[in-house]
Amino acid sequence: MTTVTTQAANGIKTQATTRDPVIEELNFPDDPDNLYLQTVSTMLGAADMLDLKHRVRIILAQPKNEVMVHFPVRMDDGHHKLFKGYRIQHNNALGPYKGGFRFHENVHLDDVKSLALLMTMKCALVRIPFGGGKGGVKCDPRTLSTAELERLSRRYCSAIAPIIGPEIDIPAPDVGTTPQIMAWFADTYMMSNEAGEAHDGIRVVTGKPVEFGGSAGREKATGQGVADTLAEMLPGINIPVQGMTVSLLGFGNVNSWGGRILQDMGAKITAVMDHTGAIRNESGIDCHALAEHCSRTGGVKGFGDGAATGSGGGTSTGAEEVSEEDFYRTKVDVFIPGALEQMVKAKQAEWLDCKVVAEAANAPCDPSGDRKLTEKGVEVLPAILVNAGGVTVSYFEWLQNKTSQVWDGERVDRELNRHMVGAARRTLAARTRLGCDLRSAAFAAALEHIGSVYKVRGIFP
Ligand code: GLU
């Protein structure tokens, strides 16, 4: 086994393991750019620090089930188009498989497998009784009409219905999917079920609209979890949330909520970039106004048409448009990547001028980016901790549906905070105990829990 050790300016060592024996044993292809290989390597690196049993390592190195489906959808012009979908069930040692499904052009098997593995780790770290799964359909939802999107969502549900269920595998929203899509999904599942079980079928999916079994606080949950994690972790890094500067990569569900919540907590959001462009205002961008602008126009572009005239600690109404490089080079306390995977590579990491990276998206930094950030002494708060708020409130939604209760927003926020703070403290404790970086520590804290469950359950037969 070859181990590359990187020592950061702050003295913390990170170990990247290349070709772990389990990777050799399972005959993984040798492609350093493959997200699944990267994710498994991180997991096995943390397992090494714990002496995790070989049998648990090989189980977690591959998903339990990989389901691929093809289904036709009638388009508005009358012709039929064939779509490819996936549902990956990574592990269910702690409870039913859990994780969202995405509608995106770049949905590929290995990426969905990585995201499913990350769900297993995330649920274990925040201590909710779920395993990990993930799904997706390769499509561009922006090019579909509402009627086409509804037919696609319903056909995807019926294609994977035989393998999911309220106690088996519970999907949720992810990139490109919405509460409305969850409503169509639940309705399809419920209509296809035995009449007596029809209403209980509502638990098959979370992230539903509030009027149809959704939970208060679910829509903002991932952003709220990002804010809760930062409030817990930043004082230890000597950054007060009040007055800190922040840049946001992506302004979809996660970062538009995270940005608004952090702004309301006293942070100053000075740069934002999404698929339409990048904007900057050193005096602060008003994320409430930006969220309205985005829901009207589809992206941050054009918000810069207002003058960047804010002053003091307040926020102005506009911002200047900047290049991608200038966006990354903006000096901030905290950079929050909340878009897609592998967007921060060595080049972007080199540009960044921040003290902390808080990973609000799943796997936003690739290994070269991660190494560069470590070399520069940037503290990286890992995704399985930072973005665990969404699935945590999904668990609350599932619980409310199961017990016919309706929690108010205050209770949801309080319980969410309890889980996020617990996960942050577990991660910090693992770092102190193992003397490693925070990503390895978060994986180790999750693996310890999964390992202890396998120890008492044993392996059938
Ligand atoms: N898609 C979200 C995630 O990656 C939420 C999953 C869920 O609520 O099950 O964590």
Side-chain angles (χ1 to χ4, degrees):
M1 179 171 61
T2 322
T3 301
V4 183
T5 305
T6 315
Q7 179 143 20
N10 60 9
I12 289 182
K13 289 185 195 140
T14 313
Q15 296 201 325
T17 308
T18 55
R19 300 306 289 180
D20 184 281
V22 168
I23 286 176
E24 287 297 332
E25 184 183 339
L26 302 183
N27 214 4
F28 278 55
D30 195 3
D31 173 7
D33 291 331
N34 180 286
L35 184 62
Y36 192 63
L37 185 67
Q38 293 169 7
T39 313
V40 174
S41 300
T42 305
M43 191 259 300
L44 292 171
D48 274 350
M49 296 178 185
L50 294 175
D51 244 354
L52 194 74
K53 293 273 183 238
H54 169 260
R55 54 180 178 265
V56 180
R57 295 181 199 214
I58 52 172
I59 290 170
L60 294 175
Q62 287 286 22
K64 283 206 168 175
N65 305 308
E66 298 176 22
V67 175
M68 210 184 290
V69 291
H70 294 95
F71 52 88
V73 174
R74 184 169 44 81
M75 308 309 279
D76 289 345
D77 66 5
H79 91 285
H80 283 80
K81 197 172 160 184
L82 195 72
F83 287 88
K84 185 193 262 303
Y86 303 89
R87 185 69 191 170
I88 305 297
Q89 299 175 326
H90 177 260
N91 189 269
N92 61 351
L94 304 185
Y97 303 105
K98 183 82 190 83
F101 63 92
R102 61 175 57 182
F103 288 172
H104 196 271
E105 283 162 298
N106 293 335
V107 165
H108 293 293
L109 177 63
D110 275 354
D111 295 354
V112 187
K113 283 171 65 174
S114 304
L115 295 163
L117 189 159
L118 291 171
M119 288 308 302
T120 300
M121 298 296 136
K122 206 184 291 189
C123 294
L125 180 62
V126 285
R127 300 289 195 269
I128 57 176
F130 286 144
K134 200 77 167 201
V137 177
K138 194 172 171 54
C139 66
D140 180 357
R142 289 196 194 104
T143 62
L144 300 174
S145 70
T146 306
E148 288 168 342
L149 199 58
E150 175 173 354
R151 289 193 289 271
L152 175 86
S153 307
R154 290 185 183 277
R155 274 305 295 245
Y156 174 60
C157 175
S158 70
I160 64 166
I163 58 151
I164 60 172
E167 306 290 342
I168 300 168
D169 183 355
I170 307 138
D174 196 78
V175 174
T177 49
T178 59
Q180 173 63 74
I181 291 173
M182 300 307 119
W184 291 325
F185 193 99
D187 180 67
T188 306
Y189 186 84
M190 292 161 84
M191 295 307 291
S192 328
N193 249 340
E194 295 292 317
E197 289 170 10
H199 200 75
D200 195 44
I202 201 167
R203 289 189 294 122
V204 73
V205 70
T206 58
K208 300 178 291 287
V210 173
E211 55 273 44
F212 182 40
S215 176
R218 175 61 185 88
E219 206 193 318
K220 66 162 183 155
T222 311
Q224 183 68 56
V226 173
D228 287 1
T229 310
L230 288 171
E232 180 62 22
M233 307 279 281
L234 290 183
I237 314 172
N238 284 326
I239 302 175
V241 172
Q242 178 72 39
M244 72 176 176
T245 49
V246 175
S247 59
L248 303 172
L249 174 60
F251 203 72
N253 172 279
V254 178
N255 269 355
S256 72
W257 279 107
R260 280 176 278 180
I261 294 165
L262 287 168
Q263 177 181 325
D264 293 346
M265 286 163 70
K268 197 192 278 184
I269 317 304
T270 55
V272 183
M273 185 168 101
D274 73 359
H275 62 285
T276 63
I279 56 171
R280 184 166 65 188
N281 182 347
E282 302 286 351
S283 305
I285 292 166
D286 180 356
C287 287
H288 293 277
L290 183 60
E292 255 170 53
H293 170 85
C294 289
S295 60
R296 242 182 314 112
T297 66
V300 305
K301 195 178 166 62
F303 191 69
D305 293 348
T309 53
S311 61
T315 50
S316 76
T317 49
E320 55 166 338
E321 285 190 14
V322 291
S323 68
E324 181 189 352
E325 182 172 342
D326 285 345
F327 162 77
Y328 278 100
R329 286 192 186 279
T330 305
K331 186 178 170 65
V332 284
D333 294 310
V334 182
F335 168 66
I336 308 183
L340 289 169
E341 299 82 52
Q342 295 189 300
M343 290 184 79
V344 181
K345 302 188 174 181
K347 182 171 84 174
Q348 289 79 12
E350 182 66 56
W351 287 340
L352 278 172
D353 188 359
C354 62
K355 297 178 191 144
V356 172
V357 170
E359 294 186 333
N362 290 306
C365 302
D366 87 340
S368 70
D370 209 16
R371 266 197 303 279
K372 177 61 68 193
L373 291 170
T374 307
E375 275 165 36
K376 289 171 75 171
V378 175
E379 190 78 88
V380 180
L381 310 184
I384 61 166
L385 167 64
V386 175
N387 76 23
V391 73
T392 303
V393 177
S394 275
Y395 167 54
F396 303 157
E397 177 176 333
W398 181 84
L399 264 185
Q400 290 171 70
N401 295 161
K402 194 175 166 100
T403 54
S404 303
Q405 290 183 47
V406 180
W407 298 8
D408 61 28
E410 263 173 50
R411 179 170 177 193
V412 169
D413 284 353
R414 196 172 57 242
E415 289 294 317
L416 171 62
N417 186 263
R418 204 168 57 77
H419 280 270
M420 297 308 297
V421 168
R425 292 187 182 163
R426 238 166 259 132
T427 303
L428 289 170
R431 172 165 81 172
T432 307
R433 204 169 59 247
L434 302 169
C436 60
D437 61 291
L438 284 172
R439 188 186 309 287
S440 307
F443 272 78
L447 288 170
E448 268 172 338
H449 184 45
I450 298 169
S452 69
V453 172
Y454 271 110
K455 191 165 173 216
V456 287
R457 280 186 69 160
I459 291 169
F460 178 80

